[in-house]
Amino acid sequence: MFKRYVLPALVVVALAVPAHAQRSARKDSGPVPTKNSATFLALFKPTVETAARSTVRIQVDGKDAALGTVLSEDGYVLTKASQVKTGKVTVKTRDGRDFDAQVTAASDLYDLAVLKSEGTGLVPIAWSPSSAAPVGNWIAAAGAGDTPVAVGVVSVAARTVPPAYRAPRVPTEKSGFLGVVLDTQASEARIDRVNPESAAEKAGIKAKDVIVSIDGQEVIDQESLIYTLLGYQAGDKVKIVLERDGKRMELAATLGKRPADLLPPKEAPKGKGKGNRGDFQNRMGSELSERRSGFPTFLQTDAVILPTDCGGPLVDLDGHVLGITIARAGRTESHAIPSETVEALLPVLLAAKPDATPAQRVDAARAALEKAEAAKAPTDVVSEAKRILQAAVAEEKWWKEHPAEPGPAPREVDRGPAPRTVGK
Amino acid sequence: MRFRRPFALLGLLLWAGLAAAEPATKSIPEPPAAVTKAQPESIADLKAFQKQTRAVIDKVIPATVCLRVGAASGSGVIVSRDGLIMTAGHVSGEPGRKIKIVLHDGKTVDGETLGFGPAIDSGMARITTPGEWPYCEVGAAKDLKSGQWVIATGHPGGYKKGRSPVVRVGRVGLRDDRAVQSDCTLVGGDSGGPLFDMSGKVVGIHSRIGQAIAANIHVPSDTYRDTWDQLVKSEIVGVSPYFGVTKDEDAKECKLAAVTPGSPAAEAGFKAGDVITRFDGKDVANYDEMVKMLQAQKPLARVTIEVLRKDEVKELKVKIGWRRS
């Protein structure tokens, strides 16, 4: 039912090029050159000179988990949230110092976490607008050393992806269900059959109709229809615009329940799932980040970055920090959250001090939300601010109701140990 | 409705401006030394390099398209003003299929598949919606040197709303007459997309990948130039006509000993024991004569064949198949 992407038809296992083919003369890069060859990476040293001073290695339980970007002289560091979810977090500076660190705030949506380490004398990063680096410009991912961890070019400028296209949504029992079979020979969302008694039949959808939009969200192909519908639950009412015999018409549908036999089998262990063909190909040649999709706004590069090297600054040839590397997302792509977005989100993540009382957390979160709204921050940043406020309110309520409890308080996201200093 | 008209007109004007007579790539400057030397040596070299990259992609992105063939999705590049598209053979597949073509800005136009070369994975398609289109020049893959820089565009994972064609920059590693390898990473959906040299000429078409991150294989552009007319005429390149019958060695006339299951002959209803008497309006005396007539046919041609089956004359229509020569 999902679209097939062709390439894959002919996956070769080895380079099937005859022996008389020309070979690269370069010694450091083996038979074929890559952008991550040692000499090419070394060429980019000047670009990361400044940013690398603000880059730290993040370890979890003594193992490399991510890179971190220093936010303040007194030990605040930004990193990839999903890489520091559990375990003992350590910040290692390039001058060889180790500091314990705790997650003080996190955004699940952007997969960014703020760490407070006991570090001092750190060098905070200076952000630059990502728009300064157009598509085709060279970029380098800074590491904690002199040489970048990867280089490449901007493949796609920073863009905000509509929610329906963010992540391959997985159908659940609660997912809304229209009850149509799509015409697999068509590229558009053309209906082949309407299931009897389905939401589609009740709404008056007929075979050969082409669905154009759902609640104003444009449907461009079969995949986008499926993803858009997966954003709804059974019982939701949707407005469907469709084309029938060249005429546009609008219908109202109440989505039904997805039949049990159309639910995916129970989830396989993380990273071990069979996945589809696209996923199989994306995994060829490099290791991918566990969390690699669903970022609302990101910039795409062709740099081949290790999952444990995400969370550091991404720079252009002038050393301008365009954003923070967030994921090795596929065979052709690594993603970065652009500086503009990071700068809008940071006040929200830095609002509450680690030693704040629950009441102070609520006040700080409310103030951050108001500021974000006043500053016309991106919708997704505002929604993160709202979510953090809700969590703070819930936490404060819990403490009020359990004055004698030692904690920990309930948390929406796992962001390290509960606040130790309690108001009462 | 009153507001529609001015917008439509504006669209028309912009579009007219876009459709220049010259290939879009004509105005790209010659690559600077930083691009052609064995390796850029300084930040200044890299800056000169990226300026060239931008000059190329400004012109070639508008010519990079997504091909929707049935429910499958691949990439392609427009190479003539009237909308000829180079793609991969496994994207376009059988000639004459109606397809949708998504332009770089998300606008969808109609198209059809033309010829393809299954052995080398070359393919061609055409925009059928009337218009003039931004197009790229085709270069020579045989001139590519190992270590030479190239640019790839395409739609990895298929066309994604709001995402421009995805740019990758890399170097050619191995090359021969049948394949070009580079470290421009490719994945499903990229198939059929273009590989450019640093002056914006198409030197390859994305075809397949291997396990290694640098194992990205492109069809050399030369094969398209060499077989251009055949591809444009919707022919299948590098194949022989295929029928799917075997000769009854004991018979003097053109008697069939067997019909290969699933072959064009089987599909058309031929049976073992049939005697072919006429082939495309011409009398057939023996098996070898029939084979000669078959060899003169083009794959996918529809031919009427008369057979004698148990004293009964039957007229069967066969669509000639193909197999790699």
Side-chain angles (χ1 to χ4, degrees), chain B residues 213-231:
Chain B
I213 200 79
N216 307 285
I217 313 296
H218 320 265
V219 183
S221 58
D222 312 285
T223 181
Y224 293 82
R225 297 159 71 106
D226 295 346
T227 59
W228 193 267
D229 293 345
Q230 284 173 278
L231 291 171

Side-chain angles (χ1 to χ4, degrees), chain A residues 3-13 15 17-18 20-24 26 31-35 37 39-40 43-44 46-47 134-138 153-156 159 165 184-188 218 220-222 278 281-286 300 302 304 317-318 328 331-332, chain B residues 38-43 46-47 49-50 53-54 57 68 70-74 90-91 100 121 144-147 149 156-159 161-169 171-176 181 183 185-191 207-217:
Chain A
K3 193 167 284 293
R4 285 182 299 129
Y5 302 122
V6 245
L7 168 75
L10 306 153
V11 169
V12 289
V13 173
L15 267 183
V17 180
H20 65 264
Q22 301 171 45
R23 286 194 160 252
S24 162
R26 239 179 313 285
V32 292
T34 71
K35 292 187 288 296
S37 69
T39 31
F40 200 60
L43 185 56
F44 283 76
T47 70
V135 175
N137 267 27
W138 289 109
V153 298
V154 178
S155 294
V156 185
R159 71 187 203 277
Y165 301 92
T184 54
Q185 291 310 301
S187 52
E188 67 273 16
E218 198 187 355
I220 53 163
D221 53 17
Q222 307 195 348
Q281 287 189 30
N282 272 313
R283 288 175 185 282
M284 287 171 72
S286 69
Q300 186 172 328
D302 71 348
V304 182
L317 288 181
D318 292 315
R328 177 71 184 141
R331 180 176 165 97
T332 62
Chain B
Q39 167 127 335
E41 286 156 19
S42 62
I43 298 296
L46 288 171
K47 284 191 174 174
F49 190 115
Q50 72 184 16
T53 307
R54 291 200 309 264
I57 61 185
R68 295 213 158 121
S73 171
H90 73 274
V91 171
K100 293 281 179 195
D121 200 24
L144 288 172
K145 303 275 185 295
S146 183
W149 290 96
Y159 177 81
K161 189 177 155 56
R163 184 186 71 176
S164 49
V166 176
V167 172
R168 282 138 287 176
V169 173
R171 277 174 286 191
V172 171
L174 310 170
R175 184 196 70 73
D176 72 2
Q181 171 269 328
D183 73 322
T185 50
L186 306 175
V187 81
D190 268 320
S191 275
S207 171
R208 51 203 185 269
I209 58 174
Q211 184 61 47
I213 200 79
N216 307 285
I217 313 296

Side-chain angles (χ1 to χ4, degrees), chain A residues 113-341:
Chain A
V114 167
L115 302 176
K116 173 70 177 86
S117 73
E118 282 136 36
T120 51
L122 304 184
V123 184
I125 197 86
W127 306 99
S128 293
S130 73
S131 53
V135 175
N137 267 27
W138 289 109
I139 49 86
D146 293 339
T147 310
V149 291
V151 299
V153 298
V154 178
S155 294
V156 185
R159 71 187 203 277
T160 297
V161 179
Y165 301 92
R166 267 177 204 171
R169 299 180 180 185
V170 180
T172 67
E173 288 146 359
K174 285 182 185 163
S175 302
F177 193 68
L178 197 53
V180 294
V181 177
L182 294 171
D183 177 357
T184 54
Q185 291 310 301
S187 52
E188 67 273 16
R190 183 180 291 277
I191 310 296
D192 187 48
R193 284 201 314 277
V194 178
N195 293 345
E197 303 290 306
S198 65
E201 193 189 65
K202 286 173 194 156
I205 294 175
K206 294 194 159 66
K208 297 203 170 116
D209 287 352
V210 176
I211 295 185
V212 175
S213 73
I214 304 280
D215 275 352
Q217 299 166 80
E218 198 187 355
V219 168
I220 53 163
D221 53 17
Q222 307 195 348
E223 194 175 50
S224 62
L225 174 65
I226 293 163
Y227 286 173
T228 305
L229 284 172
L230 285 177
Y232 290 90
Q233 300 205 335
D236 285 352
K237 290 181 170 50
V238 293
K239 274 185 195 162
I240 298 175
V241 175
L242 53 80
E243 271 183 15
R244 180 177 298 167
D245 302 327
K247 278 188 206 135
R248 285 213 168 191
M249 51 198 297
E250 189 179 299
L251 301 174
T254 305
L255 296 176
K257 256 182 96 173
R258 179 172 276 265
D261 57 332
L262 287 180
L263 289 170
K266 287 283 173 239
E267 222 181 317
K270 267 183 186 163
K272 298 265 159 57
K274 273 187 204 155
N276 54 26
R277 189 159 60 171
D279 204 42
F280 166 72
Q281 287 189 30
N282 272 313
R283 288 175 185 282
M284 287 171 72
S286 69
E287 195 193 333
L288 305 185
S289 297
E290 203 166 285
R291 165 79 192 272
R292 56 181 177 275
S293 62
F295 315 113
T297 303
F298 61 91
L299 174 146
Q300 186 172 328
T301 78
D302 71 348
V304 182
I305 301 178
L306 285 173
T308 49
D309 283 345
C310 292
L314 184 80
V315 303
D316 67 7
L317 288 181
D318 292 315
H320 294 141
V321 180
L322 309 171
I324 175 167
T325 57
I326 199 66
R328 177 71 184 141
R331 180 176 165 97
T332 62
E333 57 193 309
S334 295
H335 294 173
I337 309 288
S339 293
E340 295 90 331
T341 308

Side-chain angles (χ1 to χ4, degrees), chain B residues 71-91:
Chain B
S73 171
S75 300
V77 59
I78 307 172
V79 289
S80 78
R81 197 191 329 169
D82 57 356
L84 280 177
I85 290 169
M86 274 163 67
T87 185
H90 73 274
V91 171

Side-chain angles (χ1 to χ4, degrees), chain A residues 58-78:
Chain A
I58 308 292
Q59 289 191 330
V60 171
D61 294 335
K63 279 189 194 138
D64 287 1
L67 289 170
T69 303
V70 175
L71 298 174
S72 74
E73 188 269 338
D74 62 345
Y76 279 94
V77 171
L78 189 63

